[in-house]
Amino acid sequence: VVGKPGSGKSTYLQRVVTECNAGNLQAHRVPALIRLRDFVDDGRELDYSIECYLEQYWRLSEAETALVLNGGKALVLLDGLDEVIGEDGQAIAKQIKRFARTYPQVQIVGTCRTQSKESRVERFNYVEVADFDEMQVRAFSKHWFQAVCSDVERGESKAQAFLEQQFQAENKLIRELATTPILLSLTCAVSHQKGKFYSQRSKLYEEGLLLLLEQWDKEREIERDRER
């Protein structure tokens, strides 16, 4: 699964795991979500053996893990192939190819940024995450505001006001950002927190960055000088 940064690749894999555990998708398989940026350190002592890593991940014995893999009962999700580079990245890519050849009956799904040279892996089919269309932008925005507002009617009202601004002709540049979930989320968050819609990208990014810094500071209980 390839796509632009912030297009929802990682969220997609998380949803796959949730649906699998709930029995709604590939219910006969045991899922394992491996974030490859973490696998660089966590897997190094295992020589990046995916089998050994899964044994620890599932907390199964070697024999039990082999039974799951040989029976084709595993769903292995590899997130962020583009995030592992250098010698470690080459070693991990080699192990992924070996694992796929050894267990052709195992379902494997990976994610990678579009146009990354790390995305080309033999024996894999490729799909690309599409940009949001207008209907999806509207649906996402409505769900976003309803989720963050305690009152449903207030959430619907704020979503409607936001979308009216979003689809005005003079806001075309901002609307173009909304084709990816992460930037649409940022636009929604700034509008919600600041109570206004920014038509300039530079101002939107500035307010979005400040908002993220404020959230991180709050989580870490850090106080900054608020003068700007």
Side-chain angles (χ1 to χ4, degrees):
V1 180
V2 298
K4 296 185 295 188
S7 60
K9 302 182 296 297
S10 297
T11 302
Y12 166 70
L13 292 191
Q14 292 168 8
R15 180 63 180 271
V16 169
V17 171
T18 299
E19 293 298 309
C20 184
N21 286 332
N24 300 324
L25 176 70
Q26 300 281 345
H28 64 291
R29 297 185 189 272
V30 183
L33 175 55
I34 302 176
R35 294 178 175 84
L36 293 178
R37 65 176 178 272
D38 298 329
F39 188 57
V40 171
D41 293 325
D42 298 341
R44 185 176 291 122
E45 62 183 29
L46 304 173
D47 292 326
Y48 298 119
S49 167
I50 297 177
E51 293 93 329
C52 292
Y53 188 81
L54 291 174
E55 182 181 328
Q56 294 185 0
Y57 184 97
W58 286 325
R59 298 184 180 181
L60 298 176
S61 67
E62 181 179 349
E64 290 170 332
T65 301
L67 187 64
V68 173
L69 295 177
N70 290 324
K73 301 297 184 181
L75 174 59
V76 179
L77 309 170
L78 306 170
D79 188 25
L81 186 59
D82 57 285
E83 297 182 29
V84 290
I85 58 177
E87 293 183 1
D88 289 324
Q90 293 175 4
I92 290 173
K94 182 177 180 180
Q95 283 294 332
I96 292 173
K97 294 175 183 178
R98 181 199 59 77
F99 183 83
R101 291 194 301 269
T102 304
Y103 304 100
Q105 66 275 35
V106 169
Q107 187 80 52
I108 305 173
V109 181
T111 66
C112 187
R113 289 185 179 183
T114 307
Q115 297 181 339
S116 170
K117 66 179 182 179
E118 310 296 337
S119 67
R120 309 313 299 179
V121 182
E122 61 184 16
R123 303 173 64 90
F124 280 73
N125 296 319
Y126 288 81
V127 295
E128 183 172 353
V129 180
D131 290 339
F132 276 169
D133 57 25
E134 180 177 338
M135 184 179 298
Q136 291 170 324
V137 168
R138 291 183 179 277
F140 183 98
S141 301
K142 290 178 180 179
H143 286 306
W144 193 96
F145 281 100
Q146 289 175 355
V148 300
C149 295
S150 56
D151 181 83
V152 175
E153 291 186 0
R154 180 169 176 265
E156 292 178 349
S157 176
K158 296 200 71 170
Q160 183 61 35
F162 171 81
L163 288 169
E164 288 177 0
Q165 291 285 333
Q166 180 85 343
F167 285 95
Q168 289 183 6
E170 62 267 26
N171 292 326
K172 181 176 182 294
L173 291 178
I174 300 300
R175 189 163 60 252
E176 290 174 349
L177 297 178
T179 58
T180 55
I182 192 170
L183 291 177
L184 179 53
S185 295
L186 177 68
T187 309
C188 289
V190 170
S191 176
H192 176 65
Q193 292 294 331
K194 301 300 180 180
K196 61 182 299 186
F197 189 95
Y198 292 98
S199 299
Q200 293 182 333
R201 286 188 176 186
S202 59
K203 187 61 177 178
L204 174 64
Y205 287 141
E206 178 185 352
E207 294 296 334
L209 179 58
L210 290 173
L211 180 60
L212 291 174
L213 288 173
E214 289 174 0
Q215 292 177 344
W216 290 335
D217 289 348
K218 184 176 181 181
E219 292 175 358
R220 294 177 296 176
E221 299 182 349
I222 295 175
E223 293 187 5
R224 294 180 186 268
D225 184 355
R226 296 302 177 183
E227 293 185 4
R228 295 169 54 184

